Amino acid sequence: MSAVNSSFVWVTPPLPQGPLGRRYSVEAKFQGHYHIIRTGRPFIVLLVFVSCAVGALLRTILKESNVPIIVILCLIGVFLGVVGYFVKEFSILTEYVAEIDPILFLHMFTPVIIFTAAFEMDFYIFRKSFWQIFLLSVPGFLLNCTLIGWLTYKINKYNWNWHVSMLFGIIISTTDPILSVASVKNIGLSKIVINLIKGESLFNDATTAIVFELYRDLVSDPHTEVAKEIIIKLVLKFFASTIFGFLSSRIIIYWLSHIFNDGLTEVILSFSMTYLIFFIAEWIGMSGVISLTVLGILLDSISFSPGVDEFIFRFWAMLTFLAHVMIFIIIGIVIAVKTFPYVTIRDLFYILTLYLALNLIRGLVVLFLSPLLSRLGYGFNWRWGAVIVWSGMRATFTLNMALGISQSKDPGTAAMKNMILLHAGTASLMTLMINSTTVKKLVTTLGLCNITLPKRMAMYSAVQRIKEMEANTFSMLKLDRFLADANWTMTEEAIKIDYPYKFDIEEVSQIVRTLKCPDCNTDISYETTPQQIADILEEARLRLLTAQIASYQKQYHTGMLNQDAAQTLIGAAESYVDIRGKFMNIHEVKTYWESKGLLVSFKKLLSDWVYNVKDEKSKPSRNKILKLCHHIVFMDEFEYTSYIITLLNFIPILIDFITDLDETYIKQLIICNYYFIGLYILEASLKALAMGKAYIFHHWNQFELVIIIIGLIDIMIINIFKPLHPTYHMVKTIRVFRIIRLIRVLRLLKLVIPRLINLLEKQINKQLTFRYDIAKGYVQGEEDTKYLIEQISGHETISKEINKIMEKNKQDGMKELGLMQRDYPDIVTAVKTKQAVQTVLNTATETLKVLISSGIVDKNEGAKLQKMILQKKQNLGTLPSTIAPPTAEELLHSISWLENEKNQIEFIQKRARLLCYDYGDVICEEHEMPQGIHLIISGMTKLCGSSPCYGVAKDVDEPRDPKRVPYTDYLVSGAIIGELNCLTKQEMEYTVTCETAVQTCFISMDDLFEAFDKFLEYPSLEYKIWLKLALDITIKTFKENLAYQDWSYKMCTKLPNVYVMDVPTHSKWDIYDGTMDDVILVHGSVQDCQLLQPYFAPCILPKTCHQVQGTAAVTKLLIVRTTTTMKRKSSRRSSKSNTNYWSEYSSN
């Protein structure tokens, strides 16, 4: 309430008084003779927006400089305050600002700064370094403020007592979580150190607020129940605030999960809830700082919808900057207005002494705690300590508490309160002017942001890649008729990119020798020490983790990963950062989804207790009486009557526990008990007669017998004790049996258990879906980063080592996916279905964006289409969590080269055979001739052998890659074995072994070639199989050679314009004749007819090659046309099957 009242006073204060007590009239001074200038304008609003404009101007001018903008803003505020002191007309505005309520100040600016700092923190680094942060922010803070308070008490000449000195020590010891890391977070300093600084600032802000409030209350209002009050406040401030922050984060995450593709709503929600949570926490006596810190740490970019994360970060960065602008403008004015009359030359000595003492004491505290810090979390060293000491910027919290002291009604002179404000403000400015501008130099001097040789090599590789792309673009632009007369010499000079790091001659030569030979321009390796190899491997590992995280984020943004799976994978990858030499593998990722099996066990237990009249029905007896009993018992009405009796029995049981009613209706309650026991006996007797011997084997019947036996014992005890004089033990026994009567109500669980089982099944399915999502996302991440290894490693030995590790990890992930498909086929089918729909809808979205940007579709029309697509995406959540896996017939229909071809499908169905294999059976062996193709219906197979040679002769292929890594892969339902080998009639290159029981649809080679001869109409069956294989090889080739580009949408747009071309041996064919965008050699080998340069599949033929000659028995090229106008009519038919293949490929 005080905040509301004070804010009202701030907006409409009384007019200020001059030195003589005269009030100055705004109307008389500013109205003017012609009454043009209006009076009574809200100049405070003008001040706010002028301050923002000045902040933006300073940011524009000083962006590249090392000058802290907020210091200049504070000095501007001081200048305005001093002007207001001398210019009485201007003092109206400055007096308004100087009387701002500290509580209002706290609630306006603190939530923004606390939430932004916490939101930017890395949760996994924070979790591991929590105890280090705790040591620095609680014991370290208390030690720091005690020493400063003691020093202030000893050396100040203001006659401050011990309590005032301690309050001043508390105020001056806190640090700002944003400004403390602003100068070092983008210069290459370790994330661990940055999180330590930020975490310490966040938690010592919370500690400061709590200690300041407790100490000030104790000093101003001492009373007898001090210990009780302290305990209550500590519980509220620490524990209750943490719980409140956690619960708030769960509510917000749940709310965000139900907002679909509405970034504006999500931003408004994050903004409003931040202030609401802070206000509520402070209002009910908790710590708003701790609640917001917990909230910010538990939220991350993945908590928001895909694409909103970047806007969220920019939004909060803007709010933080504006908050600091207003804080320092206001504080500058407040300091000038309130302390200007009291400042003397002697104060300058104390300002300098205080600044030196702050840094010295902070350094001593960190040194004192360093033995403990080095044994916790990530360890600790003196260089980290130096940076942490020098990064302690005083700002928001220091200024807010000093403002509170200056405007408090506590005992003390105005001079004393204003001197606290002066020293707090000047200490903040000194740390910002000196520490903030020099901490970057300190970090560099200590070598904490040195760019290691592996990092320089990676940067060199990146620069080389950019220069290569620039050169290609440069060459293409010279062919543009509109740019033919451009100044190419000046253009070449303007596009030069210099290497950002400086090297000595030895390092430059070492890097160049690492990548390219100066003579033949081929990759070479050089002799390196084991330590250099280890360093390069570690740097490559860290970059791979970054690439994996980027892959998981990309999958989340495209809808391939749900929020929980993306957060889990990103968190798992981040947890590997500090484990030297450790690569992410599926066996450790599994620990994130493996549960204790409690839900499954509980479901089994409940399943044993499910009771259904129809399920329990047995064959009736021939005896008429027994047959009648059987008919009665297995009627639904009989079961409903049983439930009604149980409900009615609950009423007298409840009355029995009400003392007044029990004594009044004791006889009626006893009769009711007899009556209901009799009904239970009748029900059990009917069931026993109807079911015979089977009666006793059902759990519910056993339970009902127990109820009857206990009920009879209850009746016997009551009748035995009735004539006797009641004793304590008799009364106790009767009461115990009264309580036991409550178990009769458990009979109603018959109705509840089926619903509980349904809920458990949904939760179990959700967990299994989450498990499959993680495994699929992990495998996709390994696939994405696999093609970046060569660029990341920069060294041949490292590249091979990482390739080996990544390939093994990928195989383990594929095996895990196969086992899940075997165990839970319905769930995996549902997940794959959703991902297939998501992929197609993503393509539709990208197509619509292109149509709108090119002007083909109007924005309003595009918005309608976009709304329809978004509705389809939203409907993905309504798809069932389990879908029956496709049958053999359905799988045949879904094969891309058979779809919609009724005659071909019928022919294959008649000739195909279903084969079953057990675990360990071999379907086909390496080096044997193919017998046919196998379409996997169910189960998982393992492929082991040599890498595919794609039609390149062994005597040519082996010398090209003498250290070829053995090929291993896992195939599950829907995959086809042996397509390429049957087409080329070449021996198998791998052995296929069953990892589980497997069922396949087998099409013999003779039947396949008979189908080829029968279905020759374009596109022929053989051509469609070649096209499917060619597209598969092309996608992999593009990803491997152009890994930094996204080929998903590009290939979808190119599919209607692709066709496969056969290049017979020794025949010449023209390529890149103006109608071709890309030519990919997918099988066999060719030779450039001009340069005589050989090319081997798979590869992208360079655009400098215009004529090729086939040099292999079977050579196939995939041609991508430049336009669709030259397509043959028949190729339009085949585009449908192409599109289907791409959808199938993307979803798998």
Side-chain angles (χ1 to χ4, degrees):
M1 191 66 187
S2 60
V4 176
N5 293 336
S6 60
S7 63
F8 177 77
V9 171
W10 183 44
V11 175
T12 58
L15 292 173
Q17 293 184 349
L20 302 177
R22 181 170 59 87
R23 297 185 181 273
Y24 297 98
S25 171
V26 179
E27 295 184 4
K29 194 69 179 174
F30 290 101
Q31 185 175 2
H33 182 71
Y34 296 102
H35 299 275
I36 295 173
I37 300 176
R38 294 180 178 273
T39 59
R41 296 296 89 192
F43 287 104
I44 189 68
V45 177
L46 178 65
L47 176 65
V48 170
F49 289 103
V50 167
S51 301
C52 295
V54 171
L57 178 64
L58 290 174
R59 186 177 173 87
T60 304
I61 298 171
L62 304 174
K63 190 172 184 179
E64 302 300 327
S65 69
N66 202 26
V67 180
I69 296 172
I70 51 179
V71 172
I72 298 176
L73 291 169
C74 188
L75 294 176
I76 291 172
V78 171
F79 173 75
L80 293 175
V82 173
V83 170
Y85 185 79
F86 291 104
V87 180
K88 297 178 175 56
E89 292 81 0
F90 195 73
S91 65
I92 296 174
L93 180 62
T94 57
E95 288 288 344
Y96 283 173
V97 176
E99 295 302 323
I100 184 172
D101 186 2
I103 298 176
L104 177 63
F105 187 89
L106 176 75
H107 283 73
M108 281 176 63
F109 303 119
T110 303
V112 174
I113 293 167
I114 295 300
F115 179 78
T116 303
F119 188 58
E120 291 176 352
M121 284 193 71
D122 188 305
F123 173 75
Y124 293 91
I125 294 178
F126 167 77
R127 186 174 64 179
K128 184 163 183 179
S129 58
F130 172 77
W131 290 111
Q132 291 176 303
I133 291 171
F134 179 81
L135 270 179
L136 289 168
S137 59
V138 181
F141 167 78
L142 294 175
L143 189 58
N144 202 74
C145 62
T146 303
L147 291 174
I148 292 175
W150 175 82
L151 184 66
T152 304
Y153 178 71
K154 289 295 182 183
I155 68 169
N156 86 86
K157 302 299 181 182
Y158 301 120
N159 297 322
W160 292 355
N161 59 30
W162 170 252
H163 297 308
V164 174
S165 300
M166 275 303 299
L167 281 175
F168 180 72
I170 294 169
I171 291 171
I172 212 71
S173 296
T174 187
T175 55
D176 190 283
I178 297 291
L179 299 179
S180 294
V181 298
S183 300
V184 296
K185 66 179 181 180
N186 294 323
I187 63 172
L189 182 62
S190 169
K191 277 187 177 181
I192 298 170
V193 183
I194 292 173
N195 276 269
L196 273 177
I197 297 169
K198 192 178 288 184
E200 182 221 356
S201 298
L202 280 170
F203 281 87
N204 76 21
D205 286 347
T207 308
T208 300
I210 295 168
V211 173
F212 179 78
E213 181 181 337
L214 288 174
Y215 194 84
R216 189 175 64 174
D217 290 348
L218 289 175
V219 171
S220 60
D221 185 24
H223 51 82
T224 55
E225 297 185 353
V226 175
K228 184 178 179 180
E229 181 180 343
I230 290 175
I231 291 172
I232 292 172
K233 285 190 175 182
L234 287 177
V235 169
L236 281 173
K237 299 288 185 183
F238 281 108
F239 302 106
S241 301
T242 303
I243 295 170
F244 180 62
F246 173 78
L247 294 176
S248 301
S249 70
R250 297 300 97 188
I251 292 171
I252 292 174
I253 289 172
Y254 178 78
W255 193 342
L256 288 170
S257 67
H258 286 76
I259 299 174
F260 185 77
N261 200 55
D262 191 350
L264 183 61
T265 301
E266 294 184 37
V267 172
I268 293 171
L269 176 63
S270 69
F271 176 71
S272 58
M273 291 302 291
T274 296
Y275 276 89
L276 280 173
I277 289 165
F278 184 84
F279 183 87
I280 293 170
E282 292 288 329
W283 185 29
I284 59 180
M286 295 187 291
S287 170
V289 177
I290 291 181
S291 295
L292 279 189
T293 300
V294 173
L295 173 68
I297 289 172
L298 293 178
L299 290 179
D300 57 19
S301 60
I302 306 297
S303 303
F304 298 88
S305 297
V308 180
D309 52 344
E310 185 176 353
F311 180 64
I312 285 283
F313 279 112
R314 289 181 178 274
F315 173 78
W316 283 102
M318 177 201 70
L319 287 183
T320 305
F321 176 73
L322 293 180
H324 278 126
V325 166
M326 294 310 305
I327 286 169
F328 281 89
I329 286 281
I330 291 171
I331 289 298
I333 294 173
V334 171
I335 290 174
V337 170
K338 290 186 173 293
T339 67
F340 188 74
Y342 303 100
V343 176
T344 63
I345 298 295
R346 184 183 64 175
D347 294 322
L348 299 177
F349 168 76
Y350 292 121
I351 289 171
L352 182 60
T353 304
L354 177 63
Y355 168 74
L356 295 174
L358 282 179
N359 291 289
L360 179 62
I361 290 173
R362 184 170 169 82
L364 291 174
V365 169
V366 171
L367 179 65
F368 176 75
L369 295 174
S370 58
L372 287 174
L373 293 171
S374 60
R375 288 169 171 77
L376 298 171
Y378 293 96
F380 200 75
N381 58 61
W382 68 271
R383 294 185 299 172
W384 287 13
V387 174
I388 289 173
V389 169
W390 203 247
S391 298
M393 311 299 167
R394 275 67 174 176
T396 308
F397 261 82
T398 298
L399 299 173
N400 184 74
M401 287 185 292
L403 183 65
I405 287 289
S406 69
Q407 297 194 9
S408 68
K409 297 180 181 179
D410 297 335
T413 63
M416 178 201 73
K417 296 176 182 178
N418 291 328
M419 280 300 101
I420 290 176
L421 178 63
L422 173 67
H423 286 292
T426 53
S428 299
L429 288 179
M430 292 284 282
T431 56
L432 291 169
M433 284 190 294
I434 300 173
N435 295 41
S436 178
T437 55
T438 57
V439 68
K440 189 183 295 184
K441 181 67 176 175
L442 174 66
V443 171
T444 307
T445 305
L446 294 175
L448 290 174
C449 61
N450 283 349
I451 308 300
T452 61
L453 181 59
K455 286 185 180 180
R456 299 185 188 202
M457 291 168 59
M459 181 62 76
Y460 181 85
S461 177
V463 171
Q464 291 298 106
R465 175 70 65 179
I466 293 171
K467 286 183 176 180
E468 180 184 336
M469 293 304 297
E470 280 187 341
N472 293 341
T473 307
F474 193 78
S475 301
M476 290 176 61
L477 288 177
K478 285 185 177 181
L479 303 175
D480 192 322
R481 60 178 178 171
F482 296 108
L483 301 176
D485 57 345
N487 190 326
W488 295 109
T489 304
M490 187 178 293
T491 305
E492 194 169 1
E493 286 294 324
I495 65 172
K496 280 186 178 178
I497 295 178
D498 295 325
Y499 188 71
Y501 302 131
K502 294 181 179 179
F503 289 99
D504 54 38
I505 297 173
E506 183 180 350
E507 284 182 329
V508 172
S509 62
Q510 190 179 43
I511 288 177
V512 173
R513 285 189 293 112
T514 303
L515 298 172
K516 297 289 181 184
C517 172
D519 297 326
C520 59
N521 200 39
T522 57
D523 292 341
I524 60 171
S525 60
Y526 65 97
E527 293 184 3
T528 53
T529 64
Q531 184 58 45
Q532 286 178 318
I533 291 288
D535 291 341
I536 297 172
L537 179 62
E538 179 62 17
E539 184 63 32
R541 184 187 72 86
L542 293 174
R543 289 182 181 272
L544 275 176
L545 285 172
T546 303
Q548 286 173 323
I549 291 172
S551 173
Y552 303 145
Q553 289 173 335
K554 179 183 174 183
Q555 291 178 61
Y556 172 66
H557 290 157
T558 56
M560 293 297 102
L561 269 182
N562 63 36
Q563 187 181 93
D564 292 336
Q567 285 177 325
T568 301
L569 284 169
I570 291 170
E574 288 178 341
S575 68
Y576 280 84
V577 170
D578 61 300
I579 309 174
R580 186 177 177 85
K582 190 77 172 176
F583 286 82
M584 195 173 172
N585 62 78
I586 192 67
H587 300 296
E588 295 187 7
V589 172
K590 282 171 66 175
T591 59
Y592 288 89
W593 77 60
E594 285 181 339
S595 62
K596 304 296 182 182
L598 292 177
L599 290 179
V600 177
S601 302
F602 189 43
K603 180 191 168 186
K604 286 182 178 179
L605 178 64
L606 290 179
S607 298
D608 293 338
W609 283 80
V610 172
Y611 183 84
N612 188 293
V613 172
K614 295 178 181 178
D615 293 341
E616 303 291 339
K617 193 169 183 180
S618 57
K619 189 176 180 180
S621 173
R622 292 181 180 179
N623 186 287
K624 290 184 179 181
I625 298 175
L626 297 180
K627 191 173 183 180
L628 177 63
C629 291
H630 185 279
H631 177 71
I632 294 171
V633 166
F634 289 104
M635 290 173 61
D636 289 333
E637 290 80 0
F638 180 82
E639 206 50 41
Y640 296 148
T641 304
S642 175
Y643 297 143
I644 293 170
I645 290 171
T646 304
L647 282 172
L648 292 173
N649 191 189
F650 180 67
I651 297 171
I653 291 174
L654 188 63
I655 294 173
D656 214 7
F657 284 94
I658 302 172
T659 307
D660 296 338
L661 295 176
D662 176 34
E663 293 176 355
T664 306
Y665 301 105
I666 187 168
K667 292 182 179 179
Q668 290 84 350
L669 291 174
I670 292 172
I671 294 170
C672 282
N673 188 36
Y674 294 161
Y675 174 74
F676 283 110
I677 288 293
L679 289 175
Y680 293 150
I681 293 172
L682 176 62
E683 178 189 356
S685 302
L686 288 172
K687 285 183 178 180
L689 291 171
M691 300 175 69
K693 295 180 180 179
Y695 171 80
I696 198 64
F697 297 107
H698 292 279
H699 293 304
W700 278 112
N701 296 338
Q702 295 168 0
F703 180 68
E704 288 168 357
L705 283 176
V706 169
I707 290 175
I708 292 170
I709 292 169
I710 292 173
L712 293 173
I713 295 172
D714 183 16
I715 293 171
M716 289 173 59
I717 288 174
I718 291 173
N719 286 293
I720 290 171
F721 289 165
K722 189 175 181 180
L724 302 176
H725 180 70
T727 63
Y728 174 77
H729 295 291
M730 291 181 184
V731 174
K732 276 286 183 183
T733 304
I734 293 171
R735 286 179 179 175
V736 167
F737 274 92
R738 281 184 182 179
I739 295 171
I740 293 175
R741 288 179 193 174
L742 288 172
I743 66 171
R744 300 177 188 178
V745 183
L746 296 179
R747 286 160 48 92
L748 296 175
L749 288 177
K750 288 182 186 180
L751 293 171
V752 178
I753 285 177
R755 290 167 178 77
L756 281 177
I757 289 175
N758 288 334
L759 290 174
L760 284 174
E761 281 181 349
K762 289 181 180 178
Q763 191 62 31
I764 291 169
N765 290 344
K766 186 178 178 182
Q767 286 185 353
L768 293 173
T769 302
F770 171 68
R771 172 181 172 181
Y772 184 84
D773 273 341
I774 289 180
K776 176 68 166 55
Y778 171 80
V779 171
Q780 187 61 53
E782 297 297 296
E783 282 279 355
D784 293 342
T785 53
K786 172 186 174 182
Y787 304 114
L788 302 171
I789 292 173
E790 194 171 330
Q791 300 175 38
I792 288 173
S793 61
H795 191 279
E796 184 181 0
T797 306
I798 301 300
S799 179
K800 288 181 179 178
E801 180 66 23
I802 294 177
N803 253 316
K804 183 179 177 182
I805 295 170
M806 298 287 284
E807 187 61 31
K808 183 181 183 303
N809 289 342
K810 178 194 163 188
Q811 292 168 16
D812 292 341
M814 290 296 295
K815 184 176 181 179
E816 191 65 35
L817 284 175
L819 292 174
M820 277 190 268
Q821 182 148 357
R822 176 200 67 182
D823 297 335
Y824 315 105
D826 48 351
I827 291 173
V828 172
T829 303
V831 174
K832 287 184 175 182
T833 303
K834 290 178 183 178
Q835 290 184 347
V837 174
Q838 183 73 53
T839 302
V840 175
L841 291 176
N842 288 341
T843 306
T845 303
E846 291 297 324
T847 305
L848 182 59
K849 287 180 182 178
V850 172
L851 293 173
I852 294 172
S853 62
S854 59
I856 298 173
V857 175
D858 182 71
K859 284 188 177 180
N860 293 330
E861 296 170 349
K864 293 178 182 178
L865 289 173
Q866 181 68 16
K867 187 176 181 180
M868 293 170 64
I869 295 172
L870 289 176
Q871 186 61 46
K872 293 290 183 183
K873 288 186 176 182
Q874 194 169 8
N875 291 342
L876 278 174
T878 63
L879 291 178
S881 58
T882 57
I883 298 175
T887 61
E889 184 178 350
E890 290 171 338
L891 285 174
L892 273 175
H893 280 77
S894 64
I895 295 176
S896 59
W897 40 267
L898 283 179
E899 189 179 16
N900 298 328
E901 297 292 343
K902 185 177 179 181
N903 295 333
Q904 295 177 15
I905 293 173
E906 288 178 354
F907 178 86
I908 295 295
Q909 277 182 325
K910 289 177 182 178
R911 304 300 178 92
R913 291 180 292 153
L914 286 178
L915 303 179
C916 297
Y917 299 90
D918 290 329
Y919 168 75
D921 287 353
V922 176
I923 296 177
C924 58
E925 291 189 7
E926 189 177 4
H927 304 308
E928 73 176 14
M929 292 304 295
Q931 302 299 313
I933 62 174
H934 292 264
L935 170 63
I936 302 177
I937 306 301
S938 62
M940 179 177 67
T941 61
K942 180 179 181 181
L943 278 62
C944 291
S946 55
S947 299
C949 60
Y950 298 106
V952 180
K954 286 187 177 181
D955 57 343
V956 177
D957 191 44
E958 289 179 359
R960 287 196 305 138
D961 191 7
K963 297 182 180 179
R964 177 170 292 182
V965 179
Y967 176 75
T968 305
D969 200 0
Y970 293 89
L971 299 180
V972 292
S973 61
I976 300 176
I977 302 169
E979 282 174 305
L980 183 58
N981 301 91
C982 286
L983 283 175
T984 58
K985 297 182 179 179
Q986 293 177 344
E987 63 183 26
M988 300 296 292
E989 296 173 318
Y990 44 77
T991 299
V992 182
T993 310
C994 297
E995 288 288 301
T996 65
V998 175
Q999 186 181 38
T1000 69
C1001 179
F1002 176 70
I1003 307 166
S1004 69
M1005 200 164 175
D1006 293 337
D1007 293 334
L1008 189 64
F1009 276 86
E1010 185 181 343
F1012 290 166
D1013 295 334
K1014 183 174 181 179
F1015 302 105
L1016 293 174
E1017 182 184 354
Y1018 187 86
S1020 66
L1021 180 60
E1022 183 179 6
Y1023 172 82
K1024 288 193 292 183
I1025 297 177
W1026 268 116
L1027 182 61
K1028 182 254 185 183
L1029 292 171
L1031 285 169
D1032 195 358
I1033 296 168
T1034 298
I1035 293 296
K1036 292 177 182 177
T1037 305
F1038 273 138
K1039 285 186 175 181
E1040 188 170 352
N1041 291 276
L1042 302 168
Y1044 49 88
Q1045 296 186 21
D1046 183 8
W1047 283 96
S1048 301
Y1049 177 70
K1050 290 182 182 179
M1051 284 307 300
C1052 287
T1053 59
K1054 291 176 183 289
L1055 274 174
N1057 301 329
V1058 300
Y1059 64 93
V1060 177
M1061 185 172 73
D1062 185 28
V1063 184
T1065 309
H1066 304 306
S1067 62
K1068 296 181 180 180
W1069 289 83
D1070 293 332
I1071 60 173
Y1072 293 118
D1073 56 359
T1075 64
M1076 302 178 185
D1077 255 349
D1078 293 291
V1079 179
I1080 301 92
L1081 177 62
V1082 295
H1083 194 271
S1085 58
V1086 296
Q1087 186 180 50
D1088 188 336
C1089 294
Q1090 293 179 342
L1091 303 176
L1092 303 180
Q1093 171 72 35
Y1095 296 100
F1096 304 96
C1099 75
I1100 304 170
L1101 295 181
K1103 296 188 178 182
T1104 56
C1105 180
H1106 297 289
Q1107 190 179 58
V1108 294
Q1109 177 179 324
T1111 57
V1114 180
T1115 300
K1116 297 286 183 179
L1117 300 177
L1118 182 83
I1119 310 297
V1120 182
R1121 295 177 186 269
T1122 53
T1123 62
T1124 59
T1125 55
M1126 298 180 65
K1127 279 196 306 179
R1128 287 171 292 186
K1129 185 178 180 180
S1130 56
S1131 67
R1132 287 198 295 269
R1133 289 179 59 200
S1134 65
S1135 68
K1136 293 182 179 179
S1137 61
N1138 297 352
T1139 306
N1140 174 71
Y1141 163 72
W1142 175 245
S1143 175
E1144 177 185 307
Y1145 178 84
S1146 300
S1147 62
N1148 290 333

